[in-house]
Amino acid sequence: MPAISHEFQVLAKPLGAVCNLDCSYCYYLRSRDLYPAAPSMRMDERLLESYIVQHIEACPTKAILFSWHGGEPTLLGLDYFRRVVALQRRHCPAGREILNGIQTNGTLIDDDWGRFLAAEKFYVGLSIDGPREAHDVYRISKSDRSTHRHATQAYRLLRRHGVRPDVLCVVHARNVQQPLHVYRFFRDLGVGYLQFLPMVARRPDGELRPETVPADAYGSFLCAIFDEWIRHDSARMVIQNFDEAYRPYRGMAHALCVFRPTCGDIAVVEHNGDFYSCDHFVDAAHCLGNIRERPLHEMLESAAQRAFGAAKKSRLPRLCRECEFLDLCNGGCPKDRFIASPEGEPGLNYLCSGLKAFFEHTRAHLRQLAALEQAGYPIEELARRLREADAQPAARAGRNDPCPCGSGKKYKRCCIAGAPRS
């Protein structure tokens, strides 16, 4: 079986959408409706081995990344993943490296899991939506109980075992109202890598669900956190949203799929081997086959998958194509492109107004950061300059003078607006 011509990622769902939580905003639970007669949602060992072999053979790079998702994959038990690692070792060609990532809600993580994940060098994504009152709005157990303590305990336990989790915070209609409270919770927890994922959920009739974050509020949320992060934490904490916004200023391609010009490089393999074009398009229209019958590499490079990915760019409305921030956004995730532009053209991202506000707010600082980096300064240099400007506003500039931080904005539009408030 040949390797494919480009890098890819597969979100493997060896337990499908099965989960021990009852998060009301979960977009993946509906996929269970595709398998109403399934006797089990557990990927059997024969199929698991076939998937591992096909994934290894299709991967064009020396490092081979497996991504285990759900539902909640830890429900499969630790022995299942011990078997995963054993199969990977059996089939890994000489001179190549296997990497594993797992996304979890953390509620089942104990010391045995911690030792295993550390020993096998798993990348761990951990879902926490902020402090307890923000997290427990939607992330509750099936018995309607809080899960915040379990999630934060999992973070601390993993750190004790030498695993540094990447934290995923869903930004929804409730926690978006307290950006700095949410951000400082993660900072105080010691999180080193954080992603803010906007919740955009719709009912079958197309109406927005109440959990959905308002677009403008999401933009304000990111701006408020950026202003504090850039001054105090940029040297010690990576926030994926900010890193993605910064990449074009450094001449780098986007790492996150939602901001790339095209998509289709992150597919799904379900518990029974079904292959879907994307995690957000697990439906009959986007099922391209089953790896029991059609090789994984063939579906990854199929005309249907390429067309799915190319449609992201070809269907951009004119407003997007002419937007000054196109290279930062590229229209965003296709799942969110369901509103009309002011001219009535379909396909505009629901989050457009919030993202544009964020890109405008951060542009001057990110340009300056790129210039400083190119000149050999560490990232902390911009933070130092901003803090210095904040500490000496009267001596440095008037409200309508150029901001002393060097952003090019008026002081009242830059460091005054971004200064922390007591």
Side-chain angles (χ1 to χ4, degrees):
M1 184 184 298
I4 71 169
S5 60
H6 58 87
E7 293 185 36
F8 67 89
Q9 184 179 359
V10 171
L11 303 186
K13 311 272 189 173
L15 199 59
V18 176
C19 188
N20 60 331
L21 300 193
D22 193 22
C23 306
S24 61
Y25 61 46
C26 182
Y27 67 90
Y28 204 76
L29 287 178
R30 67 179 185 274
S31 68
R32 293 199 67 170
D33 297 338
L34 297 168
Y35 306 103
S40 170
M41 296 290 281
R42 183 186 181 96
M43 183 180 286
D44 63 63
E45 184 169 328
R46 185 174 178 181
L47 178 58
L48 175 66
E49 184 168 16
S50 175
Y51 164 63
I52 288 171
V53 169
Q54 291 187 50
H55 187 114
I56 290 172
E57 292 180 345
C59 183
T61 57
K62 181 178 179 180
I64 306 163
L65 174 64
F66 286 84
S67 301
W68 305 99
H69 280 239
E72 176 49 45
T74 61
L75 284 169
L76 288 160
L78 192 48
D79 286 343
Y80 190 94
F81 283 93
R82 290 192 178 109
R83 186 59 180 156
V84 164
V85 171
L87 289 169
Q88 290 172 336
R89 287 178 177 148
R90 176 189 299 175
H91 295 288
C92 184
R96 302 185 73 184
E97 179 186 17
I98 298 285
L99 305 173
N100 283 288
I102 188 169
Q103 183 67 37
T104 178
N105 59 41
T107 58
L108 301 179
I109 298 295
D110 57 16
D111 282 312
D112 288 339
W113 271 106
R115 282 187 287 268
F116 169 80
L117 294 169
E120 299 300 338
K121 297 180 173 59
F122 269 60
Y123 296 100
V124 178
L126 179 62
S127 296
I128 308 176
D129 285 357
R132 182 186 180 110
E133 65 275 14
H135 178 94
D136 285 340
V137 173
Y138 301 121
R139 298 191 64 79
I140 56 174
S141 71
K142 292 188 181 298
S143 56
D144 203 28
R145 294 184 177 179
S146 166
T147 65
H148 186 261
R149 179 173 60 86
H150 296 290
T152 53
Q153 283 180 345
Y155 179 85
R156 295 186 178 100
L157 183 150
L158 289 167
R159 288 295 304 271
R160 288 200 303 271
H161 284 280
V163 178
R164 195 175 182 88
D166 297 345
V167 174
L168 173 65
C169 173
V170 174
V171 184
H172 49 69
R174 297 283 289 276
N175 61 4
V176 75
Q177 301 169 21
Q178 297 181 300
L180 294 183
H181 184 50
V182 170
Y183 171 66
R184 289 167 183 167
F185 164 80
F186 289 117
R187 184 179 62 193
D188 294 345
L189 188 61
V191 171
Y193 189 94
L194 178 62
Q195 177 186 0
F196 293 114
L197 179 68
M199 169 48 52
V200 181
R202 293 193 292 166
R203 297 189 176 100
D205 63 3
E207 291 296 312
L208 289 173
R209 292 181 57 88
E211 301 93 336
T212 295
V213 62
D216 291 341
Y218 179 61
S220 298
F221 177 94
L222 292 179
C223 290
I225 293 174
F226 179 87
D227 287 340
E228 180 149 332
W229 172 84
I230 196 66
R231 285 167 169 78
H232 303 288
D233 306 307
S234 55
R236 59 176 174 167
M237 187 177 189
V238 175
I239 297 182
Q240 188 183 45
N241 310 71
F242 304 160
D243 183 67
E244 287 295 322
Y246 184 37
R247 291 175 78 89
Y249 294 99
R250 305 170 71 192
M252 299 174 65
H254 284 292
L256 194 61
C257 64
V258 297
F259 294 131
R260 295 175 189 164
T262 60
C263 56
D265 295 330
I266 303 181
V268 166
V269 169
E270 257 285 348
H271 71 287
N272 69 336
D274 283 347
F275 176 101
Y276 294 92
S277 294
C278 171
D279 195 38
H280 291 285
F281 292 87
V282 175
D283 52 45
H286 294 92
C287 182
L288 305 189
N290 189 290
I291 64 169
R292 296 181 192 268
E293 301 154 357
R294 189 180 182 191
L296 177 65
H297 78 92
E298 183 180 304
M299 289 185 281
L300 285 165
E301 292 211 288
S302 67
Q305 187 68 357
R306 290 198 302 271
F308 172 82
K312 179 181 181 182
K313 184 174 183 178
S314 64
R315 295 177 183 173
L316 279 174
R318 183 183 60 82
L319 186 69
C320 291
R321 296 195 304 271
E322 298 177 358
C323 179
E324 60 185 318
F325 300 118
L326 177 61
D327 61 336
L328 277 73
C329 173
N330 287 299
C333 185
K335 79 175 181 66
D336 297 332
R337 289 164 51 175
F338 55 80
I339 65 173
S341 71
E343 295 81 12
E345 191 176 2
L348 187 64
N349 194 314
Y350 163 78
L351 296 167
C352 177
S353 60
L355 289 172
K356 287 181 75 172
F358 167 67
F359 296 145
E360 170 64 30
H361 183 79
T362 59
R363 174 166 50 187
H365 286 339
L366 293 179
R367 281 177 174 166
Q368 188 182 15
L369 189 61
L372 288 169
E373 182 181 34
Q374 188 174 19
Y377 289 97
I379 193 171
E380 173 63 18
E381 175 62 18
L382 178 57
R384 185 193 66 79
R385 295 186 185 190
L386 292 172
R387 292 195 302 268
E388 183 179 87
D390 291 342
Q392 302 178 29
R396 302 294 297 234
R399 287 176 57 82
N400 292 307
D401 291 335
C403 187
C405 77
S407 69
K409 292 184 178 182
K410 290 183 178 180
Y411 182 54
K412 67 182 180 181
R413 299 292 185 190
C414 186
C415 287
I416 287 180
R421 290 168 171 78
S422 59

